[in-house]
Amino acid sequence: MTDFDLVVRGDRVLIDGTWKRAAVGVKDGIVARIGPRHAEWSATQTVSLATDEVLIPGVVDTHVHVNEPGRTHWEGFATATRAAAAGGVTTIIDMPLNSIPPTTTVAALDAKRAAAAENAAVDVGFWGGAIPASLGALEPLHDAGVFGFKAFLSPSGVDEFPHLSAAQLRAALAETARFGGMVIVHAEDPARLERYAGSRYYEDFVASRPDASETSAIATIISALRATGGRAHILHLSSAAALNQIRGAKAEGLQLTVETCPHYLTFDADHIPDGATEFKCCPPVRDEDNREALWGALVDGTIDFVASDHSPATAELKVGADGDFGRAWGGISGLQVMLAAVTSGAATRGIPLETALSWLTSKPAAFVGLEDKGTIREGARGDVVAFAPGRAWTVDAADLQHRNKVSAFDGRTLTGQVTRTWVGGAQVHPAVPDAPLAGRLIARPALAVQGAAAVDQP
């Protein structure tokens, strides 16, 4: 008999926000013991980290568009979760679009779960959707285990997921407040978006989606929170012009949280070439001063955490429009590179590694109530990552694991490389030949967690 399924020994293990020399023993998917680095334990797999490697909690990415079923040629659970594992992400929460059908009914959620069940290399949870037709009927999806409800205040880009008016957003927040739910919002005001016929000039695209589109939408959200007492989350914040509004709402005690994304923290408008539609996303990447203000807002806590908003499409849709930003699909594939992009950016700004990691691990885990994730402690899930924070590498989109090999990060040199990823103590990157997939289907923590053949309590 061995003591553990996995033991990882390292000189720098992130425990309670500090680096410690330690050994971590995982048994039956759980961190069963943390002890001295040279503890005399036996295990099925024992790994001693190299001197330049650290052991960190698995990343929790709460904003991933997997698109299966219905648009699996854009992305699917098999490819998305392999990309996640390669990037140190051990948990993803899937968005309710751009799959067909969108996750706006329990039947659609069941279809999502069926698609994911046989293909998940990492743990997968699901958001529901709030569209005009689903208002008044959100509670059954909540009871079925979704983590909350995605809503758009501007057109989503797909006909099957229409956006909400300001009045409908208020109704959604009032409805979810009654059963303790949450609405997560794409915050752009369609009345503030400029008429845009399309062009190859990136500056034209940015001008069509000005800061005012975000600040106006966020004002609508804040007003609705005051009126309803609901809980809202602002997705993919791009505009630093909204930060003071957000600070005021938080100081007021409103239930408001905010995320930003690695592309907003990495790129700036002045260095995006005309015709480079791989950089198109909505809201757009803005200027350098804006980017630095977003970093500052992460440091001071105005922005709560970072999520990838991994939103892939086929290469034809993304870069096949002859450089026309009006016709290209808007979305950036960043799931596999998020950890390295954020820690690289933090290092150049003198932000401690452990601080940057909290925006990717413990804080998003707390946001969705997954108290046993995003941390290395006894009793937590054995989701851990061996990471070499000082190793530089250059992103080659052709080598990324997601289905369509297009990425705004292609050719970017990042510092920080994932060397191994374990989910529940099982190695998922590099993949072990013929090993069963380690990913589980997860629900809101009050509900059960589904494995392939059984249901376990979290």
Side-chain angles (χ1 to χ4, degrees):
M1 288 289 291
T2 56
D3 297 317
F4 301 103
D5 302 316
L6 169 71
V7 169
V8 184
R9 308 177 189 276
D11 291 332
R12 297 179 69 202
V13 179
L14 188 59
I15 299 171
D16 296 328
T18 60
W19 300 104
K20 299 180 180 179
R21 286 172 54 87
V24 177
V26 181
K27 182 76 172 176
D28 297 329
I30 304 297
V31 176
R33 192 169 175 190
I34 297 173
R37 190 197 192 289
H38 298 293
E40 295 184 1
W41 299 340
S42 61
T44 304
Q45 182 186 23
T46 299
V47 176
S48 293
L49 300 184
T51 55
D52 69 337
E53 292 177 310
V54 300
L55 189 69
I56 64 174
V59 172
V60 177
D61 190 347
T62 61
H63 192 156
V64 180
H65 293 268
V66 178
N67 306 334
E68 187 177 6
R71 289 193 175 97
T72 312
H73 57 297
W74 292 17
E75 186 70 282
F77 287 103
T79 49
T81 59
R82 284 201 303 269
V89 178
T90 55
T91 304
I92 65 170
I93 313 294
D94 171 62
M95 284 289 161
L97 74 162
N98 302 299
S99 57
I100 303 173
T103 317
T104 56
T105 66
V106 174
L109 175 62
D110 290 342
K112 281 268 194 179
R113 285 177 167 157
E118 302 301 321
N119 294 291
V122 304
D123 287 356
V124 180
F126 305 90
W127 296 106
I131 61 175
S134 67
L135 297 183
L138 299 178
E139 192 167 6
L141 260 180
H142 177 81
D143 292 343
V146 298
F147 284 81
F149 298 89
K150 168 79 174 280
F152 279 76
L153 289 179
S154 60
S156 71
V158 292
D159 292 340
E160 66 273 7
F161 204 95
H163 66 286
L164 302 183
S165 67
Q168 288 168 331
L169 174 68
R170 185 171 295 201
L173 283 167
E175 181 179 352
T176 53
R178 288 194 291 272
F179 56 75
M182 168 173 54
V183 181
I184 62 174
V185 190
H186 180 119
E188 289 183 289
D189 181 349
R192 299 299 183 96
L193 299 178
E194 302 293 336
R195 190 180 300 275
Y196 181 57
S199 76
R200 290 180 52 85
Y201 299 110
Y202 185 72
E203 64 181 359
D204 291 348
F205 171 63
V206 175
S208 75
R209 307 187 88 94
D211 293 275
S213 67
E214 288 190 78
T215 58
S216 177
I218 289 169
T220 296
I221 295 166
I222 291 169
S223 176
L225 287 174
R226 289 194 189 105
T228 63
R231 181 183 175 195
H233 176 72
I234 296 168
L235 298 163
H236 47 53
L237 181 71
S238 156
S239 175
L243 291 172
N244 283 340
Q245 291 171 277
I246 293 164
R247 291 183 179 110
K250 289 188 169 190
E252 191 178 332
L254 300 179
Q255 295 187 85
L256 181 67
T257 49
V258 186
E259 70 185 44
T260 192
C261 303
H263 37 280
Y264 301 128
L265 299 170
T266 302
F267 306 118
D268 67 87
D270 291 338
H271 292 90
I272 294 178
D274 292 333
T277 53
E278 60 268 32
F279 290 91
K280 180 182 176 180
C281 56
C282 300
V285 173
R286 304 189 188 276
D287 63 33
E288 184 176 2
D289 288 345
N290 183 90
R291 181 189 66 194
E292 296 310 307
L294 295 179
W295 277 103
L298 275 166
V299 171
D300 72 22
T302 304
I303 298 174
D304 295 273
F305 60 88
V306 181
S308 73
D309 189 14
H310 179 73
S311 185
T314 63
E316 180 181 4
L317 286 171
K318 188 63 186 165
V319 294
D322 298 322
D324 187 334
F325 282 94
R327 292 191 290 129
W329 176 258
I332 289 179
S333 298
L335 175 61
Q336 187 171 334
V337 302
M338 176 170 67
L339 170 60
V342 173
T343 58
S344 291
T348 63
R349 291 164 177 84
I351 299 169
L353 176 60
E354 59 270 24
T355 300
L357 289 171
S358 72
W359 303 329
L360 300 166
T361 59
S362 58
K363 291 184 177 180
F367 164 67
V368 289
L370 296 174
E371 295 181 357
D372 65 341
K373 289 179 174 284
T375 183
I376 300 175
R377 60 168 173 78
E378 292 181 1
R381 288 294 299 175
D383 299 347
V384 292
V385 175
F387 183 61
R391 292 188 197 176
W393 60 290
T394 300
V395 178
D396 183 345
D399 292 336
L400 297 176
Q401 296 295 311
H402 61 257
R403 185 177 300 278
N404 288 282
K405 310 302 185 181
V406 178
S407 175
F409 290 89
D410 186 36
R412 187 88 179 187
T413 297
L414 302 174
T415 303
Q417 190 168 45
V418 172
T419 56
R420 296 198 204 198
T421 303
W422 295 270
V423 171
Q427 183 174 310
V428 295
H429 174 76
V432 178
D434 301 321
L437 291 171
R440 305 172 304 153
L441 305 186
I442 61 173
R444 280 192 353 274
L447 299 173
V449 176
Q450 267 184 280
V455 175
D456 304 311
Q457 286 301 121

